[in-house]
């Protein structure tokens, strides 16, 4: 496709939607050269690499290490400095209304470490004083409430593991394979154990008037981010949380309080939650009209498309983690669905001609990332590696061609298509689409 | 896998009973935590406006001309003098008739279904660096101005809580508010699902030069 002069205007909140850049191929290769840096290859402080390996006793084995509370709040090893959230500088007009991607290529389980959870802000990250933060619940309730953080912590607590995915995850690949990276093609999904109060507990405490059908949920950030949610979903499984993986929420994730709407698009999981108002109709806020609606080829748009459909991706190999010569490998990946549990994941090495069922790793939890693996003896020949998830409703993850047939390629959001990685005979890996 | 079927059943029964009991027992205020929100407290935060009918729009009003002045001062730096958008900041005009094009341009003029949503969004989120600092009158003025830039209202339009819900937006009737998904019906075929000869790469990210690096410090790259 041709370079587009409008490109420099790629609208930030479109996250590379209709106006996303599609640039002419250049011959600059991003391949193995950039992606070959593995954890072990870091700049370990050794002039002589043999110094730390047998038969030599390593320097760190012949000296004393740092004491406890040397790092009162721990941090990763210095050699892991590359494992960070990253952004796409050309994507958005400002870092305050933007997104960062989680480094899935370096994560090994279903839980995203708190410092690596993807970010999506619309007016930057506020730094909130929890002593002043309040949650107001009002509208069609019997008894409007104002709760402090102390009050919220007294309610019966609940912990649940759930993923959150921005529906624009993969949006840059609607038109064509664009991002040659797992981090940038799939890194807007993360998963954590959330602890807080059931939203239903809070709403029962206020009392719900009969006419109430919807809730408006709103953040305390500068965007005053607000969305409408059907009351049924609020009472079903929504959580008002103050903790993430056992510690207080990170400021980027809504400290001191956020909403978790299991299995539904990231944007409705309101961060810095300050207000819930019950009403009889939806609000049609800007974030559910101008944005987070899906434009179809016939010019109509779908609204209130909250559900995250089943999706999976192979996380090894991937562009960042190429193969190191023929031999036995373990294909690894993640699968998730907003519809409950992952039932099965199949993997193909030949672009979808034949599939093999992968092993799912416990725990397989509802609306949580699920890990899968499959052993693979690579013969060194070019391969097309892909995964396909089937969720507990029987829904099968579609190909990008099947999705485009229904939705064209301008709908920005909800691209849950099968991801194909092209493995070349030198082991390098590229993001490709088949058709 | 955590317990045998034999143990599981009684636990399930007990759990069900407990849940049923709780649901029946909760009267409003039974925990008694927090305080009842006062009308004054609620009024301070109760800023939401409903797009479809304008419920929640406050008293006040203003004109397109006043809007042009406020806009020049508070908005033009990012959104351009006539809403054309500076740099990558969003356009507030244009794109009418483009929604079926290869590169559609959704804007207030071409895409937004409801005018009161514009008042609500400017009031809650703009200007970007000082959100929710404008008076209700100035938000009415800006709403009037942006609607007039989009030829949705005449130049003498006065925006207030009665006039805004009546503005007919171009794309109003083109939204479907019930999710039609699942809209794909893929079958989980296992063997010889497609002819190997038909498997071809239709696009590749190789060499596109759009991807920031994923090792070392954060990248500041721009596409060439």
């Amino acid at each position: 496709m041709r370079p587009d002069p409008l490109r420099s205007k790629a609208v930030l909140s479109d996250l590379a939607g209709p106006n996303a850049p599609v640039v002419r191929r250049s011959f600059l290769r991003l391949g193995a050269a950039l992606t070959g840096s593995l954890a072990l290859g870091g700049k370990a402080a050794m002039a002589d690499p043999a110094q730390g390996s047998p038969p030599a006793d390593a320097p760190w084995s012949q000296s004393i290490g740092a004491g406890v509370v040397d790092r009162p709040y721990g941090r990763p090893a210095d050699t892991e400095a590359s494992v960070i959230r990253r952004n796409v500088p050309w994507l958005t007009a400002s870092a305050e209304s933007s997104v960062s991607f989680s480094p899935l290529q370096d994560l090994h389980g279903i839980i995203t470490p708190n410092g690596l959870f993807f970010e999506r802000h619309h007016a930057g990250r506020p730094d909130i004083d929890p002593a002043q933060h309040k949650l107001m619940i009002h509208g069609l309730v019997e008894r409007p409430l104002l709760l402090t953080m102390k009050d919220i912590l007294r309610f019966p607590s609940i912990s649940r593991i759930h993923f959150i995915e921005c529906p624009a995850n993969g949006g840059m690949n609607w038109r064509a394979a664009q991002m040659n990276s797992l981090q940038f093609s799939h890194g807007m999904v993360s998963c954590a154990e959330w602890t807080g109060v059931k939203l239903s507990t809070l709403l029962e405490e206020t009392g719900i008037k009969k006419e109430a059908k919807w809730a408006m949920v709103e953040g305390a950030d500068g965007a005053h981010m607000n969305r409408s949610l059907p009351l049924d979903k609020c009472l079903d499984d929504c959580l008002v949380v103050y903790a993430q993986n056992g510690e207080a929420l990170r400021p980027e994730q809504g400290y001191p309080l956020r909403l978790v709407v299991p299995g539904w698009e990231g944007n409705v999981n309101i961060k810095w939650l300050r207000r819930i108002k019950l009403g009889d109709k939806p609000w049609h806020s800007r974030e559910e009209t101008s944005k987070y609606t899906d434009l179809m080829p016939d010019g109509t748009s779908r609204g209130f498309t909250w559900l995250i459909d089943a999706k999976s991706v192979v996380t090894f190999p991937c562009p960042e983690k190429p193969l190191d010569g023929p031999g036995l490998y373990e294909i690894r990946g993640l699968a998730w669905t907003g519809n409950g549990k992952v039932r099965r994941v199949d993997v193909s090495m030949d672009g979808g001609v034949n599939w093999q069922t992968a092993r799912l790793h416990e725990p397989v939890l509802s609306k949580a990332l699920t890990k899968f693996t499959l052993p693979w003896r690579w013969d060194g020949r070019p391969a097309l590696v892909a995964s396909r998830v089937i969720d507990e409703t029987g829904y099968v993850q579609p190909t990008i061609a099947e999705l485009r047939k229904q939705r064209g390629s301008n709908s920005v959001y909800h691209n849950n298509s099968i991801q194909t990685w092209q493995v070349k005979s030198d082991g390098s890996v590229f993001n490709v689409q088949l058709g | 896998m955590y317990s045998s079927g034999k143990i599981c059943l009684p636990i399930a029964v007990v759990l069900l009973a407990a849940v049923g009991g709780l649901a029946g027992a909760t009267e409003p205020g039974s925990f008694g935590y927090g305080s009842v929100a006062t009308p004054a407290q609620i009024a301070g935060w109760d800023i939401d406006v409903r797009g479809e009918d304008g419920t929640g729009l406050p008293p006040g009003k203003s004109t397109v001309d006043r809007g042009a002045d406020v806009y020049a001062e508070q908005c033009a730096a990012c959104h351009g003098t006539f809403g054309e958008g500076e740099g990558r900041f969003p356009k507030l005009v244009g794109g009418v008739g483009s929604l079926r094009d290869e590169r559609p341009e959704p804007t207030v003029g071409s895409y937004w279904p409801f005018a009161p949503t514009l008042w609500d969004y400017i009031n809650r989120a703009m200007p970007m660096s000082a959100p929710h600092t404008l008076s209700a009158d100035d938000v009415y003025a800006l709403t009037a101005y942006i609607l007039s830039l989009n030829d949705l209202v005449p130049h003498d339009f006065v925006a207030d809580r009665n006039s805004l819900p009546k503005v007919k937006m171009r794309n109003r009737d083109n939204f479907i508010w019930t999710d039609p998904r699942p809209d794909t019906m893929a079958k989980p075929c296992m063997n010889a699902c497609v002819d190997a000869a038909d498997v071809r790469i239709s696009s590749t990210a190789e060499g596109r030069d759009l991807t920031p690096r994923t090792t070392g410090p954060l990248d500041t790259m721009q596409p060439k």
Side-chain angles (χ1 to χ4, degrees):
Chain A
M1 283 185 223
R2 72 203 140 83
D4 179 351
L6 284 174
R7 241 176 5 80
S8 57
K9 301 215 167 190
V11 172
L12 50 154
S13 39
D14 268 349
L15 288 182
N19 300 322
V22 178
V23 169
R24 184 182 295 141
R25 285 176 59 155
S26 81
F27 292 97
L28 188 99
R29 279 203 37 189
L30 275 175
L34 263 184
T35 55
S37 150
L38 297 166
L40 295 179
K43 48 171 166 54
M46 287 176 295
D48 174 8
Q51 232 189 325
S53 304
D57 202 15
W60 48 82
S61 308
Q62 296 185 324
S63 56
I64 187 149
V68 298
V69 296
D70 174 51
R71 293 171 180 173
Y73 190 101
R75 61 166 201 250
D78 292 344
T79 42
E80 297 295 312
S82 276
V83 183
I84 49 174
R85 294 186 286 230
R86 292 173 186 274
N87 65 329
V88 179
W90 50 261
L91 188 63
T92 57
S94 74
E96 291 78 28
S97 179
S98 194
V99 59
S100 72
F101 299 77
S102 188
L104 300 183
Q105 68 277 13
D106 288 301
L107 302 185
H108 300 277
I110 63 168
I111 297 291
T112 311
N114 287 344
L116 299 176
F117 206 99
F118 84 93
E119 303 165 285
R120 173 74 173 107
H121 308 327
H122 290 77
R125 178 207 69 218
D127 289 316
I128 294 178
D129 174 3
Q132 294 182 56
H133 188 76
K134 303 278 190 306
L135 175 64
M136 180 184 283
I137 307 178
H138 70 119
L140 294 177
V141 301
E142 306 289 349
R143 196 174 160 269
L145 260 188
L146 196 60
L147 298 167
T148 63
M149 287 306 298
K150 264 186 167 164
D151 298 329
I152 290 165
L153 276 142
R154 281 181 70 180
F155 282 96
S157 64
I158 180 168
S159 295
R160 288 259 194 279
I161 294 175
H162 289 303
F163 74 81
I164 295 181
E165 183 183 23
C166 175
N169 199 18
M172 283 180 280
N173 291 326
W174 259 117
R175 292 178 158 275
Q178 297 213 68
M179 303 309 283
N180 202 44
S181 149
L182 172 63
Q183 181 160 9
F184 293 116
S185 66
H186 287 76
M188 280 195 273
V189 65
S190 296
C191 184
E193 183 198 48
W194 307 101
T195 301
V197 192
K198 281 182 167 176
L199 178 52
S200 62
T201 304
L202 298 181
L203 293 179
E204 279 158 20
E205 177 71 1
T206 59
I208 302 167
K209 289 199 167 151
K210 267 205 310 290
E211 317 87 83
K213 294 278 178 303
W214 290 80
M216 196 271 330
V217 287
E218 184 182 85
D221 58 331
H224 299 81
M225 173 56 60
N226 75 322
R227 293 290 307 258
S228 307
L229 286 174
L231 186 60
D232 287 349
K233 178 66 176 176
C234 297
L235 297 177
D236 177 22
D237 60 357
C238 292
L239 305 174
V240 172
V241 307
Y242 39 78
Q244 168 187 5
N245 294 330
E247 63 177 357
L249 286 172
R250 289 293 169 93
E252 309 91 283
Q253 294 309 323
Y255 180 84
L257 200 64
R258 93 173 293 172
L259 186 67
V260 171
V261 185
W264 284 19
E265 61 186 15
N267 186 251
V268 299
N269 293 251
I270 299 288
K271 301 193 280 189
W272 313 293
L273 181 70
R274 78 160 192 187
R275 191 163 71 101
I276 299 170
K277 181 179 182 179
L278 299 192
D280 59 349
K281 287 183 187 162
W283 276 257
H284 297 105
S285 72
R286 181 259 188 176
E287 307 297 337
E288 53 204 22
T289 51
S290 169
K291 303 295 163 189
Y292 302 100
T293 50
D294 314 21
L295 179 57
M296 296 293 121
D298 66 357
T300 64
S301 290
R302 298 175 179 177
F304 296 144
T305 47
W306 303 290
L307 181 74
I308 296 291
D309 271 324
K311 187 166 172 179
S312 70
V313 66
V314 169
T315 59
F316 177 78
C318 68
E320 288 93 331
K321 302 289 177 191
L323 296 178
D324 194 14
L328 185 61
Y329 288 92
E330 182 178 68
I331 294 199
R332 299 177 183 148
L334 293 168
W336 60 99
T337 167
N339 259 327
K341 289 184 185 177
V342 166
R343 179 193 288 169
R344 191 177 105 199
V345 176
D346 302 324
V347 174
S348 173
M349 321 302 176
D350 55 13
V353 179
N354 300 298
W355 298 83
Q356 277 169 272
T357 297
R359 179 159 85 86
L360 299 186
H361 291 246
E362 293 288 342
V364 177
L365 301 170
S366 182
K367 303 170 191 178
L369 292 187
T370 300
K371 178 177 161 163
F372 64 86
T373 58
L374 185 72
W376 179 39
R377 184 168 293 283
W378 184 47
D379 56 12
R381 287 211 300 262
L384 293 167
V385 177
S387 65
R388 168 182 79 185
V389 60
I390 299 157
D391 73 18
E392 67 174 84
T393 69
Y395 172 85
V396 181
Q397 183 181 8
T399 62
I400 185 74
E402 284 163 335
L403 271 191
R404 285 202 192 109
K405 207 150 85 189
Q406 296 303 320
R407 305 185 205 160
S409 51
N410 283 333
S411 59
V412 181
Y413 306 103
H414 296 294
N415 176 2
N416 67 319
S417 62
I418 289 172
Q419 171 66 48
T420 306
W421 300 127
Q422 176 194 28
V423 178
K424 296 197 178 179
S425 43
D426 65 357
S428 59
V429 180
F430 298 90
N431 173 14
V432 298
Q433 294 183 350
L434 307 179
Chain B
M1 73 161 289
Y2 298 106
S3 53
S4 78
K6 259 184 240 145
I7 311 176
C8 240
L9 202 63
I11 290 180
V13 172
V14 171
L15 272 179
L16 272 179
V19 170
L22 271 182
T26 40
E27 283 292 307
S30 50
F31 290 97
Y33 307 153
S35 52
V36 170
T38 65
Q41 286 170 329
I42 292 174
W45 278 13
D46 192 12
I47 59 170
D48 54 276
V49 170
R50 248 168 26 189
E52 201 165 6
D53 56 13
T55 302
L57 280 170
K61 63 175 178 189
S62 198
T63 60
V64 174
D65 282 341
R66 166 71 189 155
D69 292 344
V70 184
Y71 183 91
E73 213 171 281
Q74 303 261 12
C75 325
C78 294
H79 293 294
T81 309
F82 302 103
E84 73 279 13
E86 292 291 340
R88 287 190 198 115
F89 288 105
K91 287 179 198 282
L92 302 180
V93 300
V96 175
S98 73
L99 298 183
R100 274 177 293 189
D101 293 355
E102 193 187 312
R103 294 189 182 266
E105 273 194 341
T107 69
V108 171
S110 66
Y111 196 68
W112 287 44
F114 304 118
T117 303
L118 182 57
W119 193 98
D120 178 78
Y121 183 70
I122 296 170
N123 181 56
R124 72 173 57 243
M126 290 292 138
M128 186 82 175
S129 46
H132 202 221
T133 55
L134 300 167
S135 69
D137 283 347
D138 280 353
V139 179
Y140 278 118
L142 289 164
T143 307
Y145 179 65
I146 294 169
L147 291 174
S148 101
L149 283 178
N150 280 294
D151 295 324
L152 287 160
V153 297
H155 191 81
D156 58 0
F157 179 73
V158 177
D160 65 17
R161 64 204 298 178
N162 297 315
S163 64
L164 278 187
K166 292 189 196 121
V167 175
K168 172 90 169 94
M169 302 294 275
R170 293 191 181 90
N171 201 37
R172 177 178 178 131
D173 300 327
N174 291 324
F175 285 84
I176 295 143
W177 297 107
T178 46
D179 190 346
R181 292 177 298 161
D183 54 357
T184 56
M185 307 294 165
K187 294 274 181 304
C189 162
M190 295 303 286
N191 292 302
C193 303
V194 283
D195 191 337
D198 291 342
V199 176
R200 59 170 199 99
I201 292 173
S202 58
S203 85
T204 175
E206 183 182 2
R208 277 200 199 277
D209 209 10
L210 291 170
T211 317
R213 64 170 168 257
T214 51
T215 57
L218 291 174
D219 204 339
T220 54
M221 62 92 73
Q222 298 289 327
K224 306 273 143 54

